[in-house]
Amino acid sequence: MSTRENPFGQVLVALVTPFTADGEVDWPGVEQHIDDCITAGADGIVVTGTTGETSTLTDPEKLRLVEVGKSVAAGRAKIITGGGSNETAHAMQLYKQSERAGADGVMIVTPYYNKPTQAGVLTHFRMIADATDLPVILYDIPGRTGIPITYETIVRASKHPNILAVKDAKGDFAEVSRVLNNTDLMYFSGDDTNVLPHLSIGATGLIGVTANITSAPYRTIIDAVNRGDLTTATAEHKRLEPLVRAIMTHVPGTVAAKYVLHGLGRIGSPRVRLPLVGPEDSEAYAIETSLEAVRDVPGADFSNFRPDRNAAAGGALPKVPGTTR
């Protein structure tokens, strides 16, 4: 494990962005949800990431999410801004503005759709890291972006003084071990099913979707791993399995998390923005069936769960379309 000081936290929530029924950001709902996550044990909040529907947020919304997060956290948790852009110039501008808005760190996703070479990926990362003094997490998720960050690129990127960590959603544990052996980078598990396996080989923490529902069990797992108690960590991992399956298996994690949070009365609407749509009946049934197996998970009491398939149906078109500079 890296000996560097960790500026990000260990239990990081990949925050959903609560919307109103017509698809506008529910700002009071954002404040309440951030506070709920921190109170339950999160020490880091990633706003405007994939789970936060970054691709359908405007830049002003992204910057306000940083500001609101910073205000609500009030020093209790770090606020990391995610997403970025597949246009290097846009990403540089956005992260500079995020730093001024109060972000504690930035998470840079691999450029998507363009499919650059590894030289282009490395240049993208370096130029963004040059544009801000904030600590940087690289986000390796080839299933969404179309390209991985190769081992060689990760090692070369690690030489930059601002690039301190990787969020791994690639699932190549051999590569994670190799990077940890040969760099000072910190690793964060970016796949809810692999949190404990990542931690067991030296990862620093997690950036989780299921943590929107409850971050308490992840706090238990992290604290247990920190003190070398694998038995406790494994027991909590097993308890979490059906909840992780409910959130991460049947529909995109954002959709499922909002559906469940709304059914628990934790957010005012399960609405997502197009092209995401709420679960169809068969998908909602699969989520609800998975939840029936959740037992004794701290912060996840489904005895009063009241899902609303009608409220979740379809997707919203916001008044201000697109991500704009």
Side-chain angles (χ1 to χ4, degrees):
M1 185 177 293
S2 172
T3 57
R4 283 177 169 175
E5 181 180 352
N6 176 8
F8 306 111
Q10 289 187 281
V11 180
L12 280 67
V13 178
L15 197 80
V16 300
T17 305
F19 295 142
T20 62
D22 59 359
E24 299 305 309
V25 178
D26 175 6
W27 293 107
V30 169
E31 293 182 10
Q32 184 62 58
H33 185 47
I34 292 174
D35 187 67
D36 288 346
C37 291
I38 296 172
T39 300
D43 54 9
I45 302 291
V46 177
V47 296
T48 78
T50 304
T51 308
E53 298 178 71
T54 185
S55 58
T56 58
L57 294 171
T58 65
D59 283 5
E61 287 173 331
K62 292 176 184 179
L63 296 173
R64 188 174 173 190
L65 281 163
V66 172
E67 294 169 347
V68 169
K70 192 73 173 178
S71 174
V72 173
R76 296 177 296 160
K78 301 295 185 181
I79 301 300
I80 314 301
T81 185
S85 174
N86 63 337
E87 180 197 5
T88 305
H90 183 197
M92 291 168 66
Q93 179 192 54
L94 186 58
Y95 286 130
K96 287 177 183 177
Q97 293 172 322
S98 297
E99 183 174 6
R100 291 195 292 270
D104 295 300
V106 301
M107 187 172 73
I108 309 173
V109 71
T110 316
Y112 43 88
Y113 191 71
N114 315 59
K115 296 192 83 170
T117 64
Q118 288 297 305
V121 172
L122 182 62
T123 302
H124 181 80
F125 290 153
R126 283 174 169 168
M127 291 191 72
I128 295 170
D130 282 343
T132 174
D133 291 328
L134 293 175
V136 170
I137 304 171
L138 305 181
Y139 187 9
D140 192 4
I141 182 165
R144 285 186 179 269
T145 65
I147 53 172
I149 315 174
T150 65
Y151 168 77
E152 292 77 14
T153 299
I154 293 172
V155 171
R156 294 174 71 186
S158 73
K159 308 299 183 185
H160 195 289
N162 291 348
I163 296 175
L164 303 186
V166 177
K167 176 185 176 183
D168 182 82
K170 189 163 57 181
D172 185 340
F173 291 94
E175 182 178 282
V176 173
S177 293
R178 189 180 179 196
V179 172
L180 290 173
N181 276 343
N182 291 285
T183 74
D184 287 328
L185 290 172
M186 291 170 273
Y187 258 77
F188 289 86
S189 180
D191 183 342
D192 288 10
T193 60
N194 286 333
V195 168
L196 184 57
H198 271 124
L199 293 171
S200 71
I201 60 171
T204 298
L206 63 108
I207 302 174
V209 180
T210 307
N212 280 279
I213 311 304
T214 174
S215 52
Y218 291 106
R219 183 82 262 163
T220 298
I221 290 172
I222 286 286
D223 290 346
V225 171
N226 286 346
R227 65 176 182 266
D229 182 359
L230 189 59
T231 299
T232 296
T234 301
E236 201 71 357
H237 167 81
K238 289 180 176 179
R239 271 191 291 270
L240 263 172
E241 185 275 328
L243 181 59
V244 171
R245 178 159 29 94
I247 301 301
M248 302 304 296
T249 303
H250 310 295
V251 292
T254 302
V255 175
K258 284 189 168 184
Y259 184 69
V260 172
L261 286 167
H262 180 253
L264 291 169
R266 299 256 303 277
I267 60 174
S269 169
R271 184 68 70 191
V272 290
R273 284 180 178 173
L274 286 163
L276 291 181
V277 294
E280 297 186 14
D281 279 349
S282 61
E283 296 164 337
Y285 176 78
I287 293 169
E288 294 159 16
T289 300
S290 295
L291 291 175
E292 291 174 1
V294 176
R295 300 282 188 277
D296 302 321
V297 174
D301 180 1
F302 289 96
S303 58
N304 292 312
F305 182 58
R306 299 292 183 270
D308 189 336
R309 298 182 186 182
N310 289 331
L317 287 172
K319 294 175 184 175
V320 180
T323 302
T324 57
R325 271 192 279 170

